[in-house]
Amino acid sequence: MAKNNETLTIIDNRTGKEYEIPIWEDTIRAMDLRQIKVNEDDFGMMSYDPAYKNTANTKSTITLVDGEKGILRYRGYPIDQLAQNSNTLETAYLVLFGELPNEKELDQWVYDIMHHTILHESLKSLMHAFRYDAHPMGMFISTVAALSTFYPGAKKIDNPEKRLLQIQRLIAKVPTIAAFSYRHSVGLPYAYPDNDLSYAGNFLNMMYKMTEMKYKPHPALEKALDVLFILHMDHEQNCGTAAMRGIGSSQVDPYSAMAGAAAALYGPLHGGANERVLSMLSKIGSKDNIPDFIESVKNGEQRLMGFGHRVYKNYDPRAKIIKGVADDVFKVTGRNPMLDIAIELEGIALEDEYFVSRKLYPNVDFYSGIIYQAMGLPISMFPVMFALPRTVGWLAQWQEMLTDDEQKIARPRQVYLGEGERDFVPMNKR
Ligand code: CMC
């Protein structure tokens, strides 16, 4: 794989031995370090990389994130072009299959997805059994896991047709699960899917339909949701996706793997950050309190939620697009006063040496919650709104992992620093 002159020479100063290691795509293979030993019976050298800060665990052709330049592309297409011109299911097809669909392929794909939107009534009863104040993300994670009990054929992960069927089911059913979890949390009867509507339009229908015969989504909100879904669809090897690949590598069914991925996303440092952004903004309460808040962040008392990213050291391109979507949504819903605090906060942070020197910019979660709140969603629904479209990315990455000959069950190594062997001490001698 490496070109002739692309090698790295390593001299082990413990032994004076020299090793020539191939370089491929600016990367060396960690297994090539294993030959570096002091004694023949040594285990060999490993790399130590907590939190995978500099370790690629896969090759991939799905998503490119260039964090220095603030670039995000799915299958080569810039995110802003997709957000402007595409819709959720068309982009989902691209992310999953690598190319934009032609008209016939898209029609078939839309049909295949929209005919799986209904949940088994027992699954609905299961959701109904949650406490009245259950967090919707907890309901979402549990219900996705429960899907595996309804579709035991999903265990056949080596069969491409069976895989595709589960992919279609999951993409079709996550909006229904998400909407039911919302309606449960506000005590409303669940609204069933309307397959005549678009993917985003149907989601709005299941969220907001009351007594009308046919729900008509507002076109501006439908478009805004499409854009938000596209922006959240994939983001290469983040915590949730790494969980999807890691769990999936044990060859478990995709429902179980995805429940784990969604659980990873729920954390406040990941997809749960959007929930925390809104709590933070309402706690700040007014522009006058921003300087004190910034000081407390700089003193290490708290984090500025919705800021910073492991990969982006530039403005997150998704945050830029979301800021534009906010205006379109507010024309319909009225302006969310939190936006003024957020804009002021961003402006002050981007001028402050603390944030500038650490290259901390707004990420996708900084503005998304403000839009969801304007659409009438409680903040507990925000992580669910992230998980819903990310389903596509998780499944694309899962399928790519399963069809990659080099992948095996994920099993990291450790550097053991504990006690050497010692004899058990009886209770009366401790
Ligand atoms: N507020 C204040 N300081 C920060 C922040 C922040 N939001 N983010 C990073 N820092 C500081 C951090 O204290 C550290 O400073 P120092 O070098 O003095 O110790 C430096 O910046 C580097 O931070 P880090 O924690 O080593 O960086 P990381 O790559 O491990 O963490 C992150 C990335 C996203 C977890 C982090 O920036 C963060 O906690 N942000 C807030 C939560 C958030 O918005 N998460 C959503 C991420 S985007 C959507 C998603 O992927 O789910």
Side-chain angles (χ1 to χ4, degrees):
M1 274 195 275
K3 294 179 203 138
N4 282 343
N5 57 351
E6 295 213 322
T7 60
L8 181 74
T9 301
I10 297 177
I11 298 169
D12 185 347
N13 291 324
R14 298 171 303 176
T15 59
K17 274 198 216 157
E18 195 173 294
Y19 302 85
E20 196 174 345
I21 292 185
I23 297 175
W24 164 75
E25 300 285 340
D26 292 335
T27 305
I28 60 161
R29 286 184 174 254
M31 279 305 284
D32 284 341
L33 300 176
R34 193 66 77 73
Q35 59 186 302
I36 303 176
K37 298 177 177 186
V38 175
N39 298 306
E40 231 358 84
D41 53 356
D42 281 354
F43 181 76
M45 189 166 282
M46 294 191 293
S47 60
Y48 175 60
D49 187 12
Y52 306 119
K53 283 183 161 171
N54 197 36
T55 294
N57 77 336
T58 188
K59 45 195 187 308
S60 180
T61 60
I62 301 170
T63 293
L64 173 86
V65 178
D66 183 329
E68 293 300 323
K69 297 194 184 118
I71 287 173
L72 170 60
R73 295 184 203 132
Y74 299 156
R75 304 284 189 182
Y77 292 99
I79 193 66
D80 51 321
Q81 291 188 24
L82 291 167
Q84 195 176 349
N85 302 306
S86 189
N87 60 42
T88 308
L89 287 186
E90 186 184 49
T91 302
Y93 186 100
L94 170 73
V95 168
L96 278 156
F97 306 114
E99 296 296 338
L100 286 166
N102 62 31
E103 213 172 327
K104 199 166 148 237
E105 287 165 336
L106 182 60
D107 286 350
Q108 184 64 46
W109 174 241
V110 171
Y111 177 90
D112 289 342
I113 299 295
M114 296 311 286
H115 278 73
H116 284 290
T117 52
I118 289 179
L119 292 189
H120 193 291
E121 284 294 293
S122 302
L123 204 63
K124 195 186 87 179
S125 312
L126 189 138
M127 293 188 78
H128 202 66
F130 277 93
R131 257 177 65 142
Y132 70 96
D133 59 352
H135 194 291
M137 191 62 179
M139 290 182 70
F140 182 88
I141 294 166
S142 315
T143 310
V144 168
L147 279 173
S148 76
T149 65
F150 288 77
Y151 305 111
K155 287 187 195 311
K156 299 206 165 108
I157 51 118
D158 290 331
N159 179 326
E161 279 165 30
K162 292 253 190 277
R163 269 205 311 264
L164 181 60
L165 180 59
Q166 316 317 323
I167 288 172
Q168 289 165 346
R169 280 183 176 140
L170 263 165
I171 296 172
K173 291 183 200 303
V174 284
T176 317
I177 296 172
F180 281 15
S181 66
Y182 162 69
R183 307 250 326 181
H184 183 87
S185 70
V186 288
L188 284 170
Y190 304 161
Y192 280 65
D194 178 347
N195 293 346
D196 296 338
L197 298 173
S198 73
Y199 189 81
N202 171 49
F203 179 66
L204 289 168
N205 157 67
M206 292 187 291
M207 292 289 287
Y208 300 123
K209 185 171 189 287
M210 297 305 281
T211 53
E212 64 271 45
M213 287 301 286
K214 183 118 183 132
Y215 179 85
K216 284 206 191 84
H218 193 293
L221 297 187
E222 195 177 353
K223 174 63 192 164
L225 212 50
D226 258 327
V227 172
L228 287 160
F229 284 170
I230 289 170
L231 297 182
H232 287 88
M233 206 167 274
D234 194 51
H235 211 238
E236 53 119 308
Q237 309 311 315
N238 52 77
C239 180
T241 303
M244 183 77 192
R245 282 179 174 262
I247 300 170
S249 76
S250 75
Q251 303 198 346
V252 73
D253 68 86
Y255 303 105
S256 303
M258 210 187 98
L265 187 82
Y266 189 11
L269 298 188
H270 196 3
N274 51 15
E275 203 177 354
R276 297 291 176 97
V277 170
L278 256 290
S279 317
M280 173 188 79
L281 293 175
S282 37
K283 221 164 109 196
I284 294 173
S286 105
K287 288 188 200 173
D288 301 340
N289 298 329
I290 293 176
D292 284 349
F293 171 78
I294 294 273
E295 267 325 292
S296 74
V297 171
K298 286 159 63 176
N299 293 339
E301 289 159 35
Q302 54 187 322
R303 288 208 156 188
L304 171 48
M305 298 310 282
F307 255 66
H309 199 273
R310 171 64 59 76
V311 182
Y312 290 121
K313 300 301 165 201
N314 201 324
Y315 212 101
D316 182 335
R318 301 170 298 177
K320 242 182 234 162
I321 300 169
I322 290 180
K323 239 172 133 179
V325 172
D327 292 333
D328 301 335
V329 170
F330 295 159
K331 275 184 203 136
V332 181
T333 61
R335 193 175 169 84
N336 185 341
M338 292 296 160
L339 183 68
D340 299 322
I341 300 178
I343 289 176
E344 181 88 2
L345 186 55
E346 179 194 333
I348 293 176
L350 291 183
E351 294 284 307
D352 192 296
E353 206 277 326
Y354 175 94
F355 298 92
V356 174
S357 63
R358 290 171 179 76
K359 298 189 177 170
L360 300 172
Y361 291 87
N363 60 49
V364 69
D365 291 315
F366 195 64
Y367 287 106
S368 60
I370 297 174
I371 299 181
Y372 293 137
Q373 194 177 51
M375 284 179 167
L377 286 165
I379 61 173
S380 56
M381 269 300 283
F382 299 174
V384 177
M385 297 302 290
F386 198 149
L388 193 167
R390 184 53 61 84
T391 298
V392 173
W394 286 329
L395 292 167
Q397 301 270 351
W398 169 72
Q399 170 128 283
E400 188 176 65
M401 183 268 303
L402 288 176
T403 51
D404 179 346
D405 291 343
E406 278 198 295
Q407 292 291 339
K408 288 173 180 277
I409 186 165
R411 205 311 184 179
R413 294 281 178 172
Q414 65 169 7
V415 178
Y416 177 71
L417 298 177
E419 301 286 347
E421 186 180 358
R422 48 183 176 163
D423 288 329
F424 182 80
V425 183
M427 186 60 87
N428 61 0
K429 298 251 166 76
R430 282 177 221 164

